[in-house]
């Protein structure tokens, strides 16, 4: 989608390719695919239709454990806090602190991933996730009073994990396998998102609130510990270069780079994620008062999501990305409209199924396009850690913006009509994401 050197954020900088060293590093990035291919009898980078590499499959396994641990309890953490305070604003502040900490963690940990051991950063993310649930178990029913500590801990966990995961993901995939890998990530996430919340809801209802919540939080802790153990089978990856702290700022200052427009698209993408990531599940509980209903909602919507992530991962080709994104973003806005008729379990389920069908058309191209842009030029591939940090900073800026707007509006009015218009406004941000991505393509 992005071609030409004028789109590279460092176009015109001097000294980056002053000798053969940098070109060697670029070949080293591409050579990692070839090295893994040779072990399986292949002599080149992964071709279309070939199985994912062993390291790719291991990375999928670790991300699966991370997703499973969060799916078991993550859906119910906000419900747990809501039951203690019944305050949308508190949930908003908890989410805001989470995203702010995650953004800062991405930026600071970039040096760790770039210059030291990125696999330890990945393991730290899974380990701190286990610590988060240990803290929840320690505070018990008074956990809502420590929402700042909980938000910081969860933000650290997400920042460590997703920074390292995205860097390793870039290194173990190539443009031919990237859509397929993203499809598998979505497929696994949908699979565990289908079973785990349903199981958690059933356990909470059958065991009683206190025992049920303690059990699922403990189960999440165990899953994260297993994830750490599995991560040690991922090989230590090479590190090259020195971390450039201010690359994001330099990119945004340049007018002739695609990264400015792409960053605006990522901010728009994050705006919706920041609010819808916690609000829809919370609305299901608020309108049903039953954890089992929330589990059923997750079961149905994730089952649909599993099918459509699988289809999108297999069928979505680069030439269809722009049209797929347009269909996806338009439908993601339209499925909010039933809320203006009535907010109930039925309309929320309509939304959940609709999002499960159309979100893959939007999210897979958004992810793949950005990573293809990183790998397009020698300079940007060499600075992959910094560009991934920039991607995550843009996403989290959007999440912070969306959550801040949510807090500001809810602090003054929280009537059903205000909530519906708020969700429609924030939920329309994918239209802006599509606009900016298309503008970047035309530049």
């Amino acid at each position: 989608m992005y071609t030409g050197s004028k789109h590279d954020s460092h176009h015109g900088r001097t000294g980056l390719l002053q000798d053969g060293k940098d070109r060697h590093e670029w070949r080293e990035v591409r050579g990692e695919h070839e090295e893994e291919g040779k072990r399986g009898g292949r002599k080149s980078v992964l071709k279309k239709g070939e199985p994912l590499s062993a390291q790719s499959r291991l990375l999928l396994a670790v991300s699966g454990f991370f997703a499973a641990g969060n799916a078991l309890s993550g859906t119910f953490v906000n419900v747990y806090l809501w039951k203690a305070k019944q305050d949308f604003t508190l949930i908003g502040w908890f989410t805001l602190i989470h995203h702010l900490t995650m953004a800062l963690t991405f930026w600071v940990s970039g040096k760790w991933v770039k210059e030291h051991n990125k696999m330890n950063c990945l393991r730290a993310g899974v380990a701190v996730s286990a610590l988060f649930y240990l803290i929840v178990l320690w505070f018990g029913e008074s956990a809502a009073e420590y929402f700042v500590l909980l938000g910081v801990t969860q933000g650290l966990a997400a920042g460590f994990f997703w920074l390292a995961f995205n860097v390793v993901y870039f290194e173990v995939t190539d443009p031919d396998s990237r859509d397929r890998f993203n499809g598998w990530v979505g497929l696994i996430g949908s699979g565990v998102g289908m079973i785990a919340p349903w199981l958690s809801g059933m356990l909470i209802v059958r065991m009683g609130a206190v025992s049920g919540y303690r059990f699922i939080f403990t189960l999440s802790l165990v899953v994260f510990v297993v994830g750490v153990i599995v991560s040690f089978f991922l090989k230590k990856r090479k590190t090259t270069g020195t971390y450039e702290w201010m690359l994001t700022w330099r990119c945004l200052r340049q007018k002739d780079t695609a990264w400015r427009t792409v960053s605006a698209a990522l901010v728009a993408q994050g705006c919706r994620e920041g609010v819808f990531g916690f609000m829809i599940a919370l609305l299901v509980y608020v309108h049903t008062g039953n954890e089992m209903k929330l589990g059923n909602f997750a079961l149905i919507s994730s089952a649909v999501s599993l099918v459509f992530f699988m289809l999108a991962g297999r069928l979505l080709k680069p030439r269809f990305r722009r049209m797929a994104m347009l269909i996806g973003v338009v439908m993601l806005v339209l499925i909010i409209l039933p809320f203006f008729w009535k907010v109930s379990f039925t309309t929320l389920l309509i939304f959940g199924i609709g999002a499960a069908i159309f979100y893959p058309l939007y999210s897979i191209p958004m992810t793949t396009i950005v990573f293809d842009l990183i790998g397009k030029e020698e300079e940007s591939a060499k600075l992959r850690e910094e560009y991934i940090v920039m991607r995550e900073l843009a996403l989290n800026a959007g999440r912070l913006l969306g959550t801040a707007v949510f807090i500001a509006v809810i602090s003054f009015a929280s009537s059903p009509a205000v909530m519906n218009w708020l969700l429609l406004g924030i939920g329309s941000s994918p239209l802006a994401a599509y606009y900016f991505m298309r503008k970047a393509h035309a530049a």
Side-chain angles (χ1 to χ4, degrees):
M1 188 170 187
Y2 308 99
T3 59
S5 61
K6 79 172 195 172
H7 297 311
D8 186 86
S9 63
H10 286 267
H11 181 62
R13 286 181 64 194
T14 59
L16 284 175
L17 293 174
Q18 56 191 347
D19 55 34
K21 179 176 180 290
D22 297 302
R23 295 187 183 277
H24 172 72
E25 290 173 352
W26 166 241
R27 287 194 299 271
E28 214 169 46
V29 172
R30 300 183 65 182
E32 287 179 356
H33 302 297
E34 297 176 4
E35 181 183 342
E36 290 171 10
K38 288 175 182 177
R39 291 172 186 160
R42 300 193 302 273
K43 295 183 179 180
S44 62
V45 176
L46 188 69
K47 302 298 183 183
K48 291 181 180 180
E50 290 187 5
L52 293 173
S53 68
Q55 287 294 298
S56 295
R57 293 194 295 271
L58 271 173
L59 187 62
L60 283 172
V62 174
S63 72
F65 280 109
F66 190 81
N70 282 319
L72 277 167
S73 300
T75 305
F76 294 93
V77 167
N78 289 321
V79 173
Y80 192 68
L81 298 177
W82 168 264
K83 292 177 77 169
K85 293 289 184 179
Q86 296 192 358
D87 184 359
F88 283 120
T89 305
L90 181 143
I91 306 298
W93 278 111
F94 165 71
T95 306
L96 187 76
I97 293 165
H98 164 85
H99 292 316
L100 179 60
T101 305
M102 183 163 59
L104 292 172
T105 302
F106 272 117
W107 185 58
V108 174
S109 299
K111 186 174 180 66
W112 186 6
V113 170
K114 177 81 172 184
E115 300 178 15
H116 302 288
N117 194 326
K118 65 192 73 174
M119 303 314 302
N120 283 343
C121 185
L122 184 82
R123 294 174 189 117
V126 184
V128 177
S129 293
L131 176 63
F132 171 81
Y133 289 103
L134 190 63
I135 293 172
V136 173
L137 287 167
W138 179 268
F139 290 129
E141 295 181 4
S142 62
E145 299 175 13
Y146 302 92
F147 70 91
V148 174
L149 174 61
L150 293 175
V152 168
T153 306
Q154 196 176 61
L156 282 170
F160 287 143
F161 180 84
W162 288 115
L163 173 59
F165 176 88
N166 285 329
V167 171
V168 178
Y169 149 75
F170 175 81
E171 293 176 354
V172 301
T173 62
D174 54 62
D176 288 336
S177 64
R178 210 155 278 150
D179 279 320
R180 197 148 30 103
F181 186 92
N182 288 336
W184 273 107
V185 170
L187 181 66
I188 293 170
S190 297
V192 299
M194 177 176 66
I195 302 300
W198 178 83
L199 179 64
S200 296
M202 181 188 69
L203 290 171
I204 291 169
V205 170
R206 292 193 176 183
M207 297 177 67
V210 176
S211 298
Y213 275 103
R214 289 187 66 84
F215 182 79
I216 65 166
F217 291 154
T218 302
L219 193 57
S220 287
L221 192 157
V222 172
V223 169
F224 284 124
V225 170
V226 174
V228 172
I229 295 170
V230 172
S231 72
F232 281 97
F233 290 95
L234 284 163
K235 70 176 184 179
K236 182 178 179 180
R237 308 194 70 82
K238 296 177 182 178
T239 58
T240 56
T242 303
Y243 183 60
E244 297 195 24
W245 291 95
M246 302 306 294
L247 179 134
T248 299
W249 173 246
R250 286 199 299 272
C251 284
L252 296 179
R253 290 182 63 187
Q254 288 185 262
K255 295 181 179 180
D256 61 342
T257 172
W259 281 106
R260 286 184 68 173
T261 313
V262 168
S263 294
L266 292 169
V267 169
Q269 180 185 4
C271 189
R272 179 188 184 277
E273 292 179 358
V275 175
F276 281 66
F278 72 89
M279 197 60 202
I280 298 302
L282 191 55
L283 283 175
V284 172
Y285 178 78
V286 169
H287 285 275
T288 63
N290 188 293
E291 285 89 354
M292 192 68 247
K293 284 279 189 179
L294 178 54
N296 290 337
F297 173 87
L299 175 68
I300 296 168
S301 59
S302 294
V304 177
S305 180
L306 185 148
V307 173
F308 281 88
F309 260 110
M310 181 173 63
L311 290 174
R314 289 184 176 182
L315 303 178
L316 196 57
K317 307 299 180 186
R319 64 182 181 275
F320 299 140
R321 285 174 185 168
R322 189 161 28 159
M323 181 56 68
M325 282 185 65
L326 179 59
I327 295 171
V329 299
V330 169
M331 293 308 300
L332 286 176
V333 175
L334 292 179
I335 58 176
I336 301 172
L337 298 181
F339 293 162
F340 287 88
W341 170 57
K342 184 180 181 181
V343 179
S344 64
F345 182 75
T346 300
T347 53
L348 286 163
L349 189 58
I350 291 171
F351 172 87
I353 292 173
I357 293 171
F358 296 107
Y359 191 73
L361 297 179
Y362 162 63
S363 66
I364 289 179
M366 282 289 292
T367 302
T368 304
I369 287 168
V370 173
F371 279 90
D372 284 353
L373 180 60
I374 295 172
K376 189 68 177 178
E377 302 288 339
E378 293 182 20
E379 295 179 29
S380 58
K382 186 170 71 73
L383 297 169
R384 57 193 176 276
E385 292 87 356
E386 288 88 343
Y387 280 114
I388 288 170
V389 168
M390 181 168 67
R391 172 185 181 266
E392 298 299 335
L393 288 176
L395 282 170
N396 278 286
R399 291 166 185 154
L400 287 168
L401 175 62
T403 308
V405 170
F406 174 84
I407 293 171
V409 173
I410 292 299
S411 297
F412 288 98
S414 58
S415 66
V418 170
M419 186 71 75
N420 289 340
W421 282 108
L422 179 60
L423 290 176
L424 180 62
I426 294 174
S428 298
S429 63
L431 292 171
Y434 172 78
Y435 167 77
F436 286 116
M437 276 297 190
R438 186 174 181 183
K439 185 177 177 182
H441 172 68

